Amino acid sequence: MLEQRVTEWAEQWKREGLREGEARLLLRQLERKFGVLPSWVGKQVESADARLLLEWGERVLTASSLEQIFERDSSSDHR
Protein backbone atom coordinates (compact mmCIF):
# COMPACT_ATOMS: atom_id res chain seq x y z
CA MET A 1 0.00 0.00 0.00
CA LEU A 2 2.73 2.47 0.96
CA GLU A 3 4.83 1.41 -2.01
CA GLN A 4 1.92 2.09 -4.36
CA ARG A 5 1.35 5.51 -2.77
CA VAL A 6 5.02 6.44 -3.15
CA THR A 7 4.88 5.41 -6.81
CA GLU A 8 1.78 7.58 -7.32
CA TRP A 9 3.50 10.54 -5.66
CA ALA A 10 6.57 10.11 -7.86
CA GLU A 11 4.41 10.09 -10.99
CA GLN A 12 2.53 13.18 -9.82
CA TRP A 13 5.79 15.05 -9.11
CA LYS A 14 7.09 14.04 -12.52
CA ARG A 15 3.96 15.37 -14.28
CA GLU A 16 4.07 18.60 -12.29
CA GLY A 17 7.75 19.05 -13.06
CA LEU A 18 7.18 18.54 -16.77
CA ARG A 19 4.27 21.00 -16.77
CA GLU A 20 6.38 23.59 -14.97
CA GLY A 21 9.17 23.11 -17.50
CA GLU A 22 6.74 23.48 -20.38
CA ALA A 23 5.37 26.68 -18.82
CA ARG A 24 8.87 28.16 -18.40
CA LEU A 25 9.77 27.29 -21.98
CA LEU A 26 6.58 28.86 -23.33
CA LEU A 27 7.21 32.05 -21.35
CA ARG A 28 10.76 32.24 -22.71
CA GLN A 29 9.51 31.77 -26.27
CA LEU A 30 6.87 34.46 -25.80
CA GLU A 31 9.40 36.91 -24.33
CA ARG A 32 11.79 36.22 -27.18
CA LYS A 33 9.12 36.87 -29.79
CA PHE A 34 7.07 39.67 -28.19
CA GLY A 35 9.39 41.27 -25.61
CA VAL A 36 8.27 42.15 -22.10
CA LEU A 37 5.06 40.30 -21.34
CA PRO A 38 2.01 41.76 -19.61
CA SER A 39 1.11 40.18 -16.27
CA TRP A 40 -1.99 38.46 -17.66
CA VAL A 41 0.21 36.24 -19.82
CA GLY A 42 2.03 34.80 -16.82
CA LYS A 43 -1.27 34.15 -15.08
CA GLN A 44 -2.63 32.34 -18.14
CA VAL A 45 0.47 30.20 -18.51
CA GLU A 46 0.73 29.32 -14.82
CA SER A 47 -2.89 28.16 -14.67
CA ALA A 48 -2.80 26.08 -17.87
CA ASP A 49 -2.56 22.32 -18.09
CA ALA A 50 0.04 20.51 -20.20
CA ARG A 51 -2.30 20.09 -23.19
CA LEU A 52 -3.01 23.80 -23.37
CA LEU A 53 0.67 24.71 -22.95
CA LEU A 54 1.50 22.50 -25.92
CA GLU A 55 -1.24 24.09 -28.01
CA TRP A 56 -0.05 27.60 -27.16
CA GLY A 57 3.56 26.60 -27.83
CA GLU A 58 2.59 25.55 -31.33
CA ARG A 59 0.76 28.84 -31.89
CA VAL A 60 3.93 30.80 -31.08
CA LEU A 61 5.28 29.70 -34.45
CA THR A 62 2.61 31.47 -36.49
CA ALA A 63 1.00 34.10 -34.25
CA SER A 64 1.67 37.77 -34.82
CA SER A 65 0.27 38.82 -31.44
CA LEU A 66 -0.14 37.49 -27.92
CA GLU A 67 -3.89 37.62 -28.36
CA GLN A 68 -3.68 35.14 -31.25
CA ILE A 69 -1.88 32.68 -29.03
CA PHE A 70 -4.35 32.87 -26.17
CA GLU A 71 -7.59 33.31 -28.11
CA ARG A 72 -10.41 31.00 -27.24
CA ASP A 73 -11.02 27.94 -29.32
CA SER A 74 -14.56 27.02 -30.17
CA SER A 75 -13.87 23.58 -28.71
CA SER A 76 -12.56 24.73 -25.31
CA ASP A 77 -12.96 27.43 -22.72
CA HIS A 78 -9.55 28.17 -21.21
CA ARG A 79 -9.64 31.89 -20.43
Side-chain angles (χ1 to χ4, degrees):
M1 177 113 146
L2 179 58
E3 183 179 339
Q4 180 183 2
R5 192 71 171 150
V6 169
T7 301
E8 290 171 4
W9 288 335
E11 286 298 314
Q12 180 181 359
W13 292 331
K14 182 179 175 182
R15 283 190 305 273
E16 289 173 7
L18 288 173
R19 198 211 66 77
E20 288 175 11
E22 291 168 342
R24 282 194 310 267
L25 176 58
L26 177 58
L27 287 170
R28 288 186 68 187
Q29 290 173 323
L30 293 170
E31 287 174 345
R32 182 76 163 220
K33 185 166 185 170
F34 299 108
V36 176
L37 302 172
S39 62
W40 66 265
V41 171
K43 291 175 187 173
Q44 286 285 103
V45 170
E46 291 304 318
S47 66
D49 62 20
R51 180 198 58 80
L52 201 46
L53 292 171
L54 178 61
E55 182 178 323
W56 291 341
E58 291 172 350
R59 289 182 186 178
V60 169
L61 299 172
T62 58
S64 59
S65 71
L66 288 169
E67 290 75 15
Q68 287 180 336
I69 293 169
F70 296 101
E71 70 187 4
R72 289 180 188 220
D73 291 323
S74 59
S75 63
S76 66
D77 183 23
H78 49 71
R79 273 187 93 180

Coordinates of all heavy atoms in Angstrom, one line a residue:
M1 N 0.8 -1.2 0.0 CA 0.0 0.0 0.0 C 0.9 1.3 0.0 O 0.7 2.2 -0.8 CB -0.9 0.0 1.2 CG -1.8 1.2 1.3 SD -3.5 0.8 1.1 CE -4.2 2.0 2.1
L2 N 1.8 1.3 0.9 CA 2.7 2.5 1.0 C 3.6 2.6 -0.3 O 3.8 3.6 -0.9 CB 3.6 2.4 2.2 CG 4.6 3.5 2.4 CD1 3.9 4.9 2.4 CD2 5.5 3.3 3.6
E3 N 4.0 1.4 -0.8 CA 4.8 1.4 -2.0 C 4.0 2.0 -3.2 O 4.5 2.7 -4.0 CB 5.3 0.0 -2.3 CG 6.2 -0.1 -3.5 CD 6.7 -1.5 -3.8 OE1 6.6 -2.3 -2.9 OE2 7.0 -1.8 -4.9
Q4 N 2.8 1.6 -3.3 CA 1.9 2.1 -4.4 C 1.7 3.6 -4.2 O 1.8 4.3 -5.2 CB 0.6 1.4 -4.3 CG -0.4 1.9 -5.4 CD -1.7 1.2 -5.3 OE1 -2.0 0.5 -4.4 NE2 -2.6 1.6 -6.3
R5 N 1.5 4.1 -3.0 CA 1.4 5.5 -2.8 C 2.6 6.3 -3.2 O 2.5 7.3 -3.8 CB 1.0 5.7 -1.3 CG 0.6 7.1 -1.0 CD -0.8 7.3 -1.5 NE -1.4 8.5 -1.0 CZ -2.2 9.3 -1.6 NH1 -2.7 8.9 -2.8 NH2 -2.6 10.4 -1.1
V6 N 3.8 5.8 -2.8 CA 5.0 6.4 -3.2 C 5.2 6.5 -4.7 O 5.6 7.5 -5.2 CB 6.2 5.7 -2.5 CG1 7.5 6.2 -3.0 CG2 6.2 5.9 -1.0
T7 N 4.8 5.4 -5.3 CA 4.9 5.4 -6.8 C 3.9 6.5 -7.4 O 4.3 7.2 -8.3 CB 4.5 4.0 -7.4 OG1 5.5 3.1 -6.8 CG2 4.6 4.0 -8.9
E8 N 2.7 6.6 -6.9 CA 1.8 7.6 -7.3 C 2.3 9.0 -7.1 O 2.2 9.8 -8.0 CB 0.4 7.4 -6.6 CG -0.3 6.2 -7.0 CD -1.5 5.9 -6.1 OE1 -1.8 6.7 -5.2 OE2 -2.2 4.9 -6.3
W9 N 2.9 9.2 -5.9 CA 3.5 10.5 -5.7 C 4.6 10.9 -6.6 O 4.7 12.0 -7.1 CB 4.0 10.6 -4.2 CG 3.0 10.7 -3.2 CD1 1.7 11.1 -3.3 CD2 3.2 10.3 -1.8 NE1 1.1 11.0 -2.1 CE2 1.9 10.5 -1.2 CE3 4.2 9.7 -1.1 CZ2 1.7 10.2 0.2 CZ3 4.0 9.4 0.3 CH2 2.8 9.7 0.9
A10 N 5.5 9.9 -6.9 CA 6.6 10.1 -7.9 C 6.0 10.5 -9.2 O 6.6 11.4 -9.9 CB 7.5 8.9 -7.9
E11 N 5.0 9.8 -9.7 CA 4.4 10.1 -11.0 C 3.8 11.5 -11.0 O 3.9 12.2 -12.0 CB 3.4 9.0 -11.4 CG 3.9 7.7 -11.8 CD 4.8 7.8 -13.0 OE1 4.4 8.5 -14.0 OE2 5.9 7.2 -13.0
Q12 N 3.1 11.8 -9.9 CA 2.5 13.2 -9.8 C 3.6 14.3 -9.9 O 3.5 15.3 -10.6 CB 1.7 13.3 -8.5 CG 1.1 14.7 -8.4 CD 0.3 14.8 -7.1 OE1 0.2 13.9 -6.3 NE2 -0.3 16.0 -6.9
W13 N 4.7 14.1 -9.1 CA 5.8 15.0 -9.1 C 6.4 15.2 -10.5 O 6.8 16.3 -10.9 CB 6.8 14.7 -8.1 CG 6.4 14.8 -6.7 CD1 5.4 15.6 -6.2 CD2 6.8 14.0 -5.6 NE1 5.3 15.5 -4.8 CE2 6.1 14.5 -4.4 CE3 7.7 13.0 -5.4 CZ2 6.3 13.9 -3.2 CZ3 7.9 12.5 -4.1 CH2 7.2 12.9 -3.0
K14 N 6.5 14.0 -11.2 CA 7.1 14.0 -12.5 C 6.2 14.9 -13.5 O 6.7 15.7 -14.2 CB 7.2 12.6 -13.0 CG 7.9 12.5 -14.4 CD 8.0 11.0 -14.8 CE 8.5 10.9 -16.2 NZ 8.6 9.5 -16.6
R15 N 4.9 14.6 -13.4 CA 4.0 15.4 -14.3 C 4.0 16.9 -14.0 O 4.0 17.7 -14.9 CB 2.5 14.8 -14.1 CG 2.2 13.5 -14.8 CD 0.8 13.2 -14.8 NE 0.2 13.2 -13.5 CZ 0.2 12.1 -12.6 NH1 0.7 11.0 -13.0 NH2 -0.4 12.2 -11.5
E16 N 4.0 17.2 -12.7 CA 4.1 18.6 -12.3 C 5.4 19.3 -12.7 O 5.4 20.4 -13.2 CB 3.9 18.7 -10.8 CG 2.5 18.4 -10.3 CD 2.3 18.4 -8.8 OE1 3.3 18.7 -8.1 OE2 1.3 18.0 -8.3
G17 N 6.5 18.5 -12.6 CA 7.8 19.0 -13.1 C 7.8 19.3 -14.6 O 8.3 20.3 -15.0
L18 N 7.2 18.4 -15.3 CA 7.2 18.5 -16.8 C 6.3 19.7 -17.1 O 6.7 20.5 -18.0 CB 6.6 17.3 -17.4 CG 7.6 16.1 -17.4 CD1 6.9 14.8 -18.0 CD2 8.8 16.4 -18.3
R19 N 5.2 19.9 -16.5 CA 4.3 21.0 -16.8 C 4.9 22.3 -16.4 O 4.9 23.3 -17.2 CB 3.0 20.9 -16.0 CG 1.9 21.8 -16.6 CD 0.9 22.3 -15.5 NE 1.5 23.2 -14.6 CZ 1.7 24.4 -14.8 NH1 1.6 25.0 -16.0 NH2 2.3 25.2 -13.9
E20 N 5.7 22.4 -15.3 CA 6.4 23.6 -15.0 C 7.5 23.9 -16.0 O 7.7 25.1 -16.4 CB 7.0 23.4 -13.6 CG 5.9 23.5 -12.5 CD 6.5 23.2 -11.1 OE1 7.8 23.2 -11.0 OE2 5.7 23.0 -10.2
G21 N 8.2 22.9 -16.5 CA 9.2 23.1 -17.5 C 8.6 23.6 -18.8 O 9.1 24.5 -19.5
E22 N 7.4 23.0 -19.2 CA 6.7 23.5 -20.4 C 6.3 24.9 -20.2 O 6.4 25.7 -21.2 CB 5.5 22.6 -20.7 CG 5.9 21.2 -21.1 CD 4.8 20.2 -21.1 OE1 3.7 20.5 -20.4 OE2 4.9 19.2 -21.7
A23 N 5.8 25.3 -19.1 CA 5.4 26.7 -18.8 C 6.5 27.6 -18.9 O 6.4 28.7 -19.5 CB 4.7 26.8 -17.4
R24 N 7.7 27.3 -18.3 CA 8.9 28.2 -18.4 C 9.3 28.3 -19.8 O 9.7 29.4 -20.3 CB 10.0 27.6 -17.5 CG 9.8 27.9 -16.1 CD 11.1 27.6 -15.2 NE 11.7 26.3 -15.5 CZ 11.4 25.2 -14.8 NH1 10.6 25.3 -13.8 NH2 12.0 24.1 -15.1
L25 N 9.3 27.2 -20.6 CA 9.8 27.3 -22.0 C 8.8 28.2 -22.8 O 9.3 29.0 -23.6 CB 9.8 25.9 -22.6 CG 10.2 25.8 -24.1 CD1 11.5 26.5 -24.4 CD2 10.1 24.4 -24.6
L26 N 7.5 28.0 -22.6 CA 6.6 28.9 -23.3 C 6.8 30.3 -23.0 O 6.8 31.2 -23.9 CB 5.1 28.4 -23.0 CG 4.0 29.3 -23.7 CD1 4.2 29.3 -25.2 CD2 2.7 28.8 -23.2
L27 N 7.0 30.7 -21.7 CA 7.2 32.1 -21.4 C 8.5 32.6 -22.0 O 8.5 33.7 -22.5 CB 7.3 32.2 -19.8 CG 5.9 32.0 -19.1 CD1 6.2 32.0 -17.6 CD2 5.0 33.2 -19.5
R28 N 9.5 31.8 -22.1 CA 10.8 32.2 -22.7 C 10.5 32.5 -24.2 O 11.0 33.5 -24.8 CB 11.9 31.2 -22.5 CG 12.4 31.2 -21.1 CD 13.5 30.3 -20.9 NE 14.7 30.9 -21.6 CZ 15.8 30.2 -21.8 NH1 16.0 29.0 -21.3 NH2 16.8 30.8 -22.4
Q29 N 9.8 31.6 -24.8 CA 9.5 31.8 -26.3 C 8.7 33.0 -26.5 O 9.0 33.8 -27.4 CB 8.7 30.6 -26.8 CG 9.6 29.3 -26.9 CD 8.7 28.1 -27.3 OE1 7.5 28.0 -26.8 NE2 9.3 27.2 -28.0
L30 N 7.7 33.3 -25.7 CA 6.9 34.5 -25.8 C 7.7 35.7 -25.6 O 7.5 36.7 -26.3 CB 5.7 34.4 -24.8 CG 4.7 33.3 -25.1 CD1 3.7 33.2 -23.9 CD2 3.9 33.6 -26.4
E31 N 8.5 35.7 -24.6 CA 9.4 36.9 -24.3 C 10.3 37.2 -25.5 O 10.6 38.3 -25.9 CB 10.2 36.7 -23.0 CG 9.4 36.8 -21.8 CD 10.2 36.5 -20.5 OE1 11.3 35.9 -20.6 OE2 9.6 36.8 -19.5
R32 N 10.9 36.1 -26.0 CA 11.8 36.2 -27.2 C 11.1 36.8 -28.4 O 11.6 37.6 -29.1 CB 12.3 34.8 -27.5 CG 13.3 34.8 -28.6 CD 14.7 35.3 -28.1 NE 15.7 34.9 -29.0 CZ 16.9 34.5 -28.6 NH1 17.2 34.4 -27.4 NH2 17.7 34.1 -29.5
K33 N 9.8 36.4 -28.6 CA 9.1 36.9 -29.8 C 8.4 38.2 -29.6 O 8.4 39.1 -30.5 CB 8.1 35.8 -30.2 CG 7.4 36.2 -31.5 CD 6.6 35.0 -32.0 CE 6.0 35.4 -33.4 NZ 5.4 34.2 -34.0
F34 N 7.9 38.5 -28.4 CA 7.1 39.7 -28.2 C 7.7 40.7 -27.2 O 7.1 41.7 -27.0 CB 5.7 39.3 -27.7 CG 4.9 38.4 -28.7 CD1 4.7 37.1 -28.5 CD2 4.4 39.0 -29.9 CE1 4.0 36.3 -29.4 CE2 3.8 38.2 -30.8 CZ 3.6 36.8 -30.6
G35 N 8.8 40.4 -26.6 CA 9.4 41.3 -25.6 C 8.8 41.1 -24.2 O 8.3 40.0 -23.9
V36 N 8.8 42.2 -23.5 CA 8.3 42.1 -22.1 C 6.8 41.8 -22.1 O 6.0 42.4 -22.9 CB 8.5 43.5 -21.4 CG1 7.8 43.5 -20.0 CG2 9.9 43.9 -21.3
L37 N 6.4 40.8 -21.3 CA 5.1 40.3 -21.3 C 4.2 41.0 -20.3 O 4.6 41.2 -19.2 CB 5.1 38.8 -21.1 CG 5.9 37.9 -22.0 CD1 6.0 36.5 -21.5 CD2 5.3 38.0 -23.4
P38 N 2.9 41.2 -20.6 CA 2.0 41.8 -19.6 C 1.7 40.7 -18.5 O 1.9 39.5 -18.8 CB 0.7 42.1 -20.4 CG 0.9 41.4 -21.7 CD 2.3 41.1 -21.9
S39 N 1.3 41.1 -17.4 CA 1.1 40.2 -16.3 C 0.0 39.1 -16.6 O 0.1 38.0 -16.1 CB 0.8 40.9 -15.0 OG -0.4 41.7 -15.2
W40 N -0.9 39.4 -17.4 CA -2.0 38.5 -17.7 C -1.5 37.2 -18.4 O -2.0 36.1 -18.2 CB -3.2 39.1 -18.4 CG -2.9 39.5 -19.8 CD1 -2.5 40.8 -20.2 CD2 -2.9 38.7 -21.0 NE1 -2.3 40.8 -21.6 CE2 -2.6 39.6 -22.1 CE3 -3.2 37.4 -21.3 CZ2 -2.5 39.2 -23.4 CZ3 -3.1 37.0 -22.6 CH2 -2.8 37.8 -23.7
V41 N -0.4 37.4 -19.1 CA 0.2 36.2 -19.8 C 0.8 35.2 -18.8 O 0.5 34.0 -18.9 CB 1.3 36.7 -20.8 CG1 2.0 35.5 -21.4 CG2 0.7 37.5 -21.9
G42 N 1.5 35.7 -17.8 CA 2.0 34.8 -16.8 C 0.9 34.1 -16.1 O 1.0 32.9 -15.8
K43 N -0.1 34.8 -15.8 CA -1.3 34.1 -15.1 C -1.9 33.1 -15.9 O -2.2 32.0 -15.4 CB -2.3 35.2 -14.7 CG -1.8 36.2 -13.6 CD -2.8 37.3 -13.4 CE -2.2 38.3 -12.4 NZ -3.1 39.5 -12.3
Q44 N -2.1 33.3 -17.2 CA -2.6 32.3 -18.1 C -1.7 31.1 -18.2 O -2.2 30.0 -18.1 CB -2.8 32.9 -19.6 CG -3.8 33.9 -19.7 CD -5.2 33.2 -19.8 OE1 -5.9 33.3 -18.8 NE2 -5.5 32.6 -20.9
V45 N -0.5 31.3 -18.4 CA 0.5 30.2 -18.5 C 0.5 29.4 -17.2 O 0.5 28.2 -17.3 CB 1.9 30.7 -18.9 CG1 2.9 29.6 -18.9 CG2 1.8 31.3 -20.4
E46 N 0.6 30.0 -16.1 CA 0.7 29.3 -14.8 C -0.5 28.5 -14.5 O -0.4 27.5 -13.8 CB 1.0 30.3 -13.7 CG 2.4 30.9 -13.8 CD 3.5 29.9 -13.8 OE1 3.5 28.9 -13.1 OE2 4.5 30.0 -14.6
S47 N -1.7 28.9 -15.0 CA -2.9 28.2 -14.7 C -3.2 27.1 -15.7 O -4.2 26.4 -15.5 CB -4.1 29.1 -14.5 OG -4.3 29.8 -15.7
A48 N -2.5 27.0 -16.8 CA -2.8 26.1 -17.9 C -2.3 24.7 -17.6 O -1.3 24.5 -16.9 CB -2.2 26.6 -19.2
D49 N -3.0 23.7 -18.2 CA -2.6 22.3 -18.1 C -1.6 22.0 -19.2 O -1.4 22.9 -20.1 CB -3.7 21.4 -18.1 CG -4.6 21.4 -19.4 OD1 -4.1 21.9 -20.4 OD2 -5.7 21.0 -19.3
A50 N -1.0 20.9 -19.2 CA 0.0 20.5 -20.2 C -0.5 20.5 -21.6 O 0.2 21.0 -22.5 CB 0.6 19.1 -19.9
R51 N -1.7 20.1 -21.8 CA -2.3 20.1 -23.2 C -2.4 21.5 -23.8 O -2.0 21.8 -24.9 CB -3.7 19.5 -23.2 CG -4.4 19.4 -24.5 CD -5.9 19.2 -24.4 NE -6.5 20.2 -23.6 CZ -6.9 21.4 -24.1 NH1 -6.6 21.8 -25.3 NH2 -7.5 22.3 -23.3
L52 N -2.8 22.4 -22.9 CA -3.0 23.8 -23.4 C -1.6 24.5 -23.6 O -1.5 25.2 -24.6 CB -3.8 24.6 -22.3 CG -4.5 25.8 -22.7 CD1 -5.3 25.7 -24.1 CD2 -5.4 26.3 -21.6
L53 N -0.7 24.2 -22.8 CA 0.7 24.7 -22.9 C 1.2 24.3 -24.3 O 1.9 25.1 -25.0 CB 1.6 24.3 -21.8 CG 1.3 24.9 -20.4 CD1 2.1 24.2 -19.4 CD2 1.5 26.4 -20.4
L54 N 1.0 23.0 -24.6 CA 1.5 22.5 -25.9 C 0.8 23.2 -27.1 O 1.5 23.6 -28.0 CB 1.3 21.0 -26.0 CG 1.6 20.3 -27.3 CD1 3.1 20.5 -27.6 CD2 1.2 18.9 -27.3
E55 N -0.5 23.4 -27.0 CA -1.2 24.1 -28.0 C -0.7 25.5 -28.2 O -0.5 26.0 -29.3 CB -2.7 24.1 -27.6 CG -3.6 24.7 -28.7 CD -5.1 24.7 -28.2 OE1 -5.5 23.7 -27.6 OE2 -5.8 25.7 -28.5
W56 N -0.5 26.2 -27.1 CA 0.0 27.6 -27.2 C 1.4 27.6 -27.7 O 1.7 28.5 -28.5 CB -0.1 28.3 -25.8 CG -1.5 28.5 -25.3 CD1 -2.6 28.6 -26.1 CD2 -1.9 28.8 -24.0 NE1 -3.7 28.9 -25.2 CE2 -3.3 29.0 -24.0 CE3 -1.2 28.8 -22.8 CZ2 -4.0 29.3 -22.8 CZ3 -1.9 29.1 -21.6 CH2 -3.3 29.3 -21.6
G57 N 2.2 26.7 -27.3 CA 3.6 26.6 -27.8 C 3.6 26.5 -29.3 O 4.5 27.0 -30.0
E58 N 2.7 25.7 -29.9 CA 2.6 25.6 -31.3 C 2.1 26.9 -32.0 O 2.6 27.2 -33.1 CB 1.6 24.4 -31.7 CG 2.2 23.1 -31.3 CD 1.2 21.9 -31.5 OE1 0.0 22.2 -31.7 OE2 1.6 20.8 -31.4
R59 N 1.3 27.6 -31.3 CA 0.8 28.8 -31.9 C 1.8 29.9 -31.9 O 1.8 30.8 -32.8 CB -0.4 29.4 -31.1 CG -1.7 28.5 -31.2 CD -2.8 29.2 -30.5 NE -4.0 28.3 -30.5 CZ -5.1 28.6 -29.9 NH1 -5.2 29.7 -29.1 NH2 -6.1 27.8 -29.9
V60 N 2.8 29.8 -31.1 CA 3.9 30.8 -31.1 C 4.6 30.9 -32.5 O 5.0 31.9 -32.9 CB 5.0 30.5 -30.0 CG1 6.2 31.3 -30.2 CG2 4.4 30.6 -28.6
L61 N 4.6 29.8 -33.1 CA 5.3 29.7 -34.4 C 4.6 30.6 -35.5 O 5.3 31.1 -36.4 CB 5.3 28.3 -34.9 CG 6.1 27.3 -34.0 CD1 5.9 25.9 -34.5 CD2 7.5 27.7 -34.0
T62 N 3.3 30.8 -35.4 CA 2.6 31.5 -36.5 C 1.9 32.7 -36.0 O 1.5 33.5 -36.9 CB 1.6 30.5 -37.1 OG1 0.7 30.1 -36.1 CG2 2.2 29.4 -37.8
A63 N 1.8 32.9 -34.8 CA 1.0 34.1 -34.2 C 1.8 35.4 -34.4 O 3.0 35.4 -34.3 CB 0.7 33.9 -32.8
S64 N 1.0 36.5 -34.7 CA 1.7 37.8 -34.8 C 1.3 38.6 -33.6 O 1.8 39.8 -33.5 CB 1.2 38.5 -36.1 OG -0.2 38.6 -36.1
S65 N 0.6 38.1 -32.7 CA 0.3 38.8 -31.4 C 0.0 37.8 -30.3 O -0.3 36.7 -30.5 CB -1.0 39.7 -31.6 OG -2.1 38.9 -31.7
L66 N 0.2 38.3 -29.1 CA -0.1 37.5 -27.9 C -1.6 37.0 -27.9 O -1.9 35.9 -27.5 CB 0.2 38.3 -26.6 CG 1.6 38.5 -26.3 CD1 1.8 39.5 -25.2 CD2 2.3 37.1 -26.0
E67 N -2.5 37.9 -28.3 CA -3.9 37.6 -28.4 C -4.2 36.4 -29.3 O -5.1 35.6 -28.9 CB -4.7 38.8 -28.8 CG -4.7 40.0 -27.8 CD -3.4 40.8 -27.7 OE1 -2.6 40.7 -28.6 OE2 -3.3 41.5 -26.7
Q68 N -3.5 36.3 -30.4 CA -3.7 35.1 -31.3 C -3.3 33.8 -30.6 O -3.9 32.8 -30.8 CB -2.9 35.3 -32.5 CG -3.5 36.3 -33.5 CD -2.6 36.4 -34.7 OE1 -1.4 36.1 -34.8 NE2 -3.3 36.9 -35.8
I69 N -2.3 33.9 -29.7 CA -1.9 32.7 -29.0 C -2.9 32.2 -28.0 O -3.2 31.1 -27.9 CB -0.5 32.9 -28.4 CG1 0.5 33.1 -29.5 CG2 -0.2 31.7 -27.4 CD1 1.9 33.6 -29.0
F70 N -3.5 33.2 -27.3 CA -4.3 32.9 -26.2 C -5.8 33.0 -26.5 O -6.7 32.8 -25.6 CB -4.0 33.8 -25.0 CG -2.6 33.5 -24.4 CD1 -1.6 34.4 -24.8 CD2 -2.4 32.4 -23.7 CE1 -0.3 34.2 -24.3 CE2 -1.1 32.2 -23.2 CZ -0.1 33.1 -23.5
E71 N -6.2 33.2 -27.8 CA -7.6 33.3 -28.1 C -8.3 32.0 -27.8 O -7.8 30.9 -27.8 CB -7.8 33.7 -29.6 CG -7.4 32.6 -30.5 CD -7.4 33.1 -32.0 OE1 -7.6 34.3 -32.2 OE2 -7.2 32.2 -32.9
R72 N -9.6 32.2 -27.6 CA -10.4 31.0 -27.2 C -10.6 30.2 -28.5 O -10.8 30.7 -29.6 CB -11.8 31.4 -26.7 CG -11.7 32.0 -25.4 CD -13.1 32.4 -24.9 NE -13.0 33.1 -23.7 CZ -13.9 33.0 -22.7 NH1 -14.9 32.2 -22.8 NH2 -13.7 33.7 -21.6
D73 N -10.7 28.9 -28.3 CA -11.0 27.9 -29.3 C -12.5 27.6 -29.2 O -13.0 27.6 -28.1 CB -10.2 26.6 -29.2 CG -8.8 26.8 -29.5 OD1 -8.5 27.6 -30.4 OD2 -8.0 26.1 -28.8
S74 N -13.1 27.4 -30.3 CA -14.6 27.0 -30.2 C -14.8 25.7 -29.4 O -15.8 25.5 -28.9 CB -15.2 26.9 -31.6 OG -14.5 26.0 -32.3
S75 N -13.7 24.9 -29.4 CA -13.9 23.6 -28.7 C -13.5 23.6 -27.2 O -13.7 22.6 -26.6 CB -13.0 22.6 -29.4 OG -11.6 22.9 -29.3
S76 N -13.0 24.7 -26.7 CA -12.6 24.7 -25.3 C -12.7 26.1 -24.7 O -12.7 27.1 -25.5 CB -11.1 24.3 -25.2 OG -10.3 25.2 -25.8
D77 N -12.8 26.2 -23.4 CA -13.0 27.4 -22.7 C -11.8 27.5 -21.7 O -11.9 26.9 -20.6 CB -14.3 27.5 -22.0 CG -14.5 28.9 -21.3 OD1 -13.8 29.9 -21.7 OD2 -15.3 28.9 -20.4
H78 N -10.7 28.2 -22.1 CA -9.5 28.2 -21.2 C -9.2 29.5 -20.7 O -8.1 29.7 -20.1 CB -8.4 27.5 -21.9 CG -8.1 28.0 -23.3 ND1 -7.6 29.2 -23.6 CD2 -8.3 27.3 -24.4 CE1 -7.4 29.3 -24.9 NE2 -7.9 28.2 -25.4
R79 N -10.0 30.6 -20.9 CA -9.6 31.9 -20.4 C -10.6 32.4 -19.4 O -11.7 31.9 -19.2 CB -9.6 32.9 -21.6 CG -8.2 32.9 -22.2 CD -8.1 34.0 -23.1 NE -7.6 35.2 -22.4 CZ -7.4 36.4 -23.0 NH1 -7.7 36.5 -24.3 NH2 -6.9 37.4 -22.4

